[in-house]
Amino acid sequence: MHLEEFAEGKSLIHSLDPRIKLLSLFPFIVVVAIAKGLTVPFIALMVGVNLVLFSRLNLKAVLTRLFPVNLFILFLWFMLPFSVKGEGIFTIGPLTATSEGIFYALTITLKANAIVLSTIALIGTIPIFRLVHALRHLKVPEKLVNLFFFCYRYISVLHEDYSALYNAMKVRAFKPATNVHTYRSYAYLIGMLVVRSYDHSEKIYQAMLCRGFRGRFPLLDHFTGLTRKDFVFFIFMIFVAACLVTLEVGKYFWRLP
Amino acid sequence: MHISEGILSAPVLLTGVILTAGGVSLGLKKMDYERIPEVAVLTSAFFVASLIHVPIGPSSAHLVLNGLMGLLLGWIAFPAILVGLALQALLFQFGGLTSLCVNAFNMAFPAVVSFYLFRLFNRKYNRYTLIFSGFLCGVIGILGSAFLVALSLVTTGEAFLTAAKLIVIAHLPVMIIEGGITAAAVVSLNKVRPELLTRKVKI
């Protein structure tokens, strides 16, 4: 499993300080998440697309990532046009689609994709170790950060365990189907994964104690001071968020959708 | 069962943040430093297990296993599930960052409920109480989460009522299967490593 797909690369966004990227992302996604109507979500989507373009990511890989997000939203597209009250546009059988419903579904689609794209561009481009380090600088509880890091680190190990166990089942002609045998076999597989995870964790903890671990990771690669481009980017993103707030509040005056 | 970004309203998102913050801080308090590797590796095991798709008739569903997680971890399920979901959101874009806390609460709260249920039924345990309470925990995990997801959607807007109903109905078969799998997993854990189920967990 390749997990840090976007973390490597040379671009303006990759070179920014991780703390700045986190701090400039959060106001933006919060504003987008609670926005209504179409104007703010549309502009936010444009911002998201541009952030992805500026970080020069593999666009095909980014589009693949958008797929699971839009699957849930596609499900809502089948529901919302018929369940929001308003002016009818067309009818299928007993159901009437309303323009309000379609606008609502469109709003959600724009918002979700805007948030996901900007998250990929700003957090996806941070290697996990630096992300964890930045989270500690931003005062996220130490235990939680350590939990996050260890969990991330051992996903690939446990995935190897899982593949080994599953291959052993396949060698014995296991074919998943809808029957009790399949479910029981999966249950035993999960039970074994849990047991192995305990065994791993004991060894890991003892090995860490041997090396003098006291709940902290000593670092050589500290964050250096912030540069001018970090400040410029931070101010720019805060400015964008402020503009979106103004638009959101002012759209009733200016009669924007 | 993840709610994507951009769907829920501000009050629902805020409620999620407050409730999850409470649960997580309680969970972190109960998790000593020595237990971090154990909880973390267990969380990665569940992360991997949630990638398993089990067949249900012509379709398939992926496992959630929050009931099993809950009965093993208790309140620590809150930070564990938060971390698992954060990784899913960052690595696969399942769920999302803004809806992270709501999703975490929706899955972790039933997990904590199944922890107490499991203890209640297994003061004196035998094979049958293990099977029964394991099944119950699996069912409660899925059913509780489906209801909380539906509740989050409906409190966002009346328009989501049909979608919410469909989500609960679609999870009914999943619930039975998770119940069965959780029960069998508990039985197998009891055979291989009984101390994992019976040891005293700090409440």
Side-chain angles (χ1 to χ4, degrees):
Chain A
M1 290 209 296
H2 186 44
L3 298 174
E4 282 169 282
E5 200 175 359
F6 302 120
E8 290 149 24
K10 278 197 166 49
S11 72
L12 174 70
I13 306 239
H14 280 91
S15 69
L16 293 171
D17 189 291
R19 292 168 292 177
I20 288 294
K21 286 200 263 193
L22 287 172
L23 283 180
S24 41
L25 177 68
F26 272 94
F28 176 71
I29 58 176
V30 168
V31 171
V32 178
I34 62 183
K36 296 192 173 84
L38 288 176
T39 320
V40 172
F42 180 74
I43 297 171
L45 182 64
M46 292 299 111
V47 175
V49 169
N50 276 304
L51 286 173
V52 167
L53 291 179
F54 266 104
S55 45
R56 288 199 250 152
L57 300 173
N58 177 356
L59 291 182
K60 213 173 139 194
V62 175
L63 286 180
T64 329
R65 294 299 190 86
L66 288 180
F67 181 72
V69 182
N70 287 298
L71 207 63
F72 189 82
I73 287 168
L74 186 69
F75 163 71
L76 291 180
W77 270 95
F78 287 111
M79 305 284 143
L80 286 178
F82 307 104
S83 56
V84 178
K85 289 188 184 70
E87 242 177 280
I89 300 182
F90 62 89
T91 35
I92 309 170
L95 300 167
T96 311
T98 62
S99 55
E100 281 83 352
I102 291 175
F103 276 131
Y104 193 29
L106 190 61
T107 304
I108 288 176
T109 316
L110 292 173
K111 278 160 66 168
N113 285 294
I115 297 174
V116 169
L117 285 174
S118 41
T119 312
I120 291 178
L122 292 183
I123 299 190
T125 52
I126 310 174
I128 290 280
F129 202 79
R130 282 176 74 78
L131 175 67
V132 170
H133 187 187
L135 288 176
R136 274 303 292 144
H137 274 272
L138 300 177
K139 307 284 179 224
V140 179
E142 191 169 20
K143 281 181 183 172
L144 195 61
V145 172
N146 279 354
L147 189 65
F148 180 87
F149 178 67
F150 277 118
C151 178
Y152 170 76
R153 167 65 185 78
Y154 284 94
I155 286 176
S156 42
V157 175
L158 264 292
H159 194 257
E160 273 166 30
D161 274 5
Y162 162 73
S163 307
L165 289 167
Y166 195 62
N167 282 339
M169 286 161 71
K170 279 200 281 192
V171 168
R172 289 161 180 77
F174 172 73
K175 259 201 185 137
T178 310
N179 55 36
V180 174
H181 172 70
T182 304
Y183 300 139
R184 193 185 294 137
S185 309
Y186 275 123
Y188 292 163
L189 170 64
I190 290 159
M192 274 321 288
L193 266 184
V194 169
V195 168
R196 285 192 181 205
S197 80
Y198 273 102
D199 293 350
H200 278 303
S201 70
E202 250 163 49
K203 280 182 209 147
I204 293 161
Y205 186 60
Q206 285 161 359
M208 289 190 333
L209 284 183
C210 288
R211 287 160 182 75
F213 184 73
R214 286 195 197 156
R216 248 157 226 244
F217 290 95
L219 276 176
L220 288 175
D221 186 20
H222 281 286
F223 288 130
T224 45
L226 301 173
T227 56
R228 188 188 289 165
K229 68 183 171 197
D230 291 323
F231 284 114
V232 172
F233 183 77
F234 181 66
I235 291 168
F236 172 73
M237 285 302 286
I238 296 298
F239 176 70
V240 169
C243 286
L244 292 181
V245 172
T246 319
L247 272 177
E248 182 66 26
V249 176
K251 70 183 176 194
Y252 300 103
F253 297 111
W254 302 315
R255 311 223 170 142
L256 296 167
Chain B
M1 196 116 61
H2 306 68
I3 303 177
S4 304
E5 316 257 22
I7 292 170
L8 299 172
S9 67
V12 177
L13 292 172
L14 191 65
T15 315
V17 170
I18 294 169
L19 291 174
T20 304
V24 167
S25 59
L26 201 59
L28 288 180
K29 228 176 250 165
K30 293 182 194 305
M31 181 176 69
D32 302 328
Y33 271 95
E34 306 89 78
R35 277 196 81 190
I36 292 179
E38 176 199 323
V39 176
V41 184
L42 194 65
T43 310
S44 5
F46 280 104
F47 185 96
V48 170
S50 72
L51 302 175
I52 301 176
H53 279 256
V54 294
I56 303 180
S59 123
S60 74
H62 81 91
L63 297 172
V64 184
L65 298 173
N66 53 344
L68 187 59
M69 235 175 149
L71 69 89
L72 289 171
L73 289 174
W75 281 95
I76 303 178
F78 258 100
I81 286 175
L82 180 76
V83 161
L85 289 179
L87 283 168
Q88 283 189 337
L90 291 178
L91 303 172
F92 307 133
Q93 269 70 47
F94 290 156
L97 279 189
T98 55
S99 53
L100 178 64
C101 285
V102 175
N103 285 333
F105 181 79
N106 290 349
M107 290 190 199
F109 186 68
V112 173
V113 171
S114 32
F115 170 70
Y116 284 110
L117 274 179
F118 191 76
R119 287 172 60 99
L120 188 71
F121 279 100
N122 292 297
R123 289 235 174 80
K124 278 185 195 154
Y125 72 97
N126 58 36
R127 193 184 155 79
Y128 300 102
T129 61
L130 280 181
I131 292 178
F132 177 73
S133 54
F135 184 80
L136 200 64
C137 288
V139 167
I140 297 264
I142 297 294
L143 191 67
S145 297
F147 266 116
L148 286 172
V149 167
L151 186 70
S152 329
L153 287 174
V154 172
T155 42
T156 290
E158 292 277 309
F160 287 104
L161 195 61
T162 353
K165 277 181 194 157
L166 269 181
I167 285 175
V168 173
I169 293 169
H171 280 95
L172 292 180
V174 182
M175 164 186 111
I176 303 292
I177 286 165
E178 281 250 348
I181 288 185
T182 308
V186 166
V187 170
S188 85
L189 277 179
N190 185 46
K191 269 186 214 152
V192 185
R193 213 49 77 77
E195 68 270 19
L196 294 184
L197 296 174
T198 52
R199 65 180 178 164
K200 294 264 183 294
V201 182
K202 249 212 280 185
I203 310 187

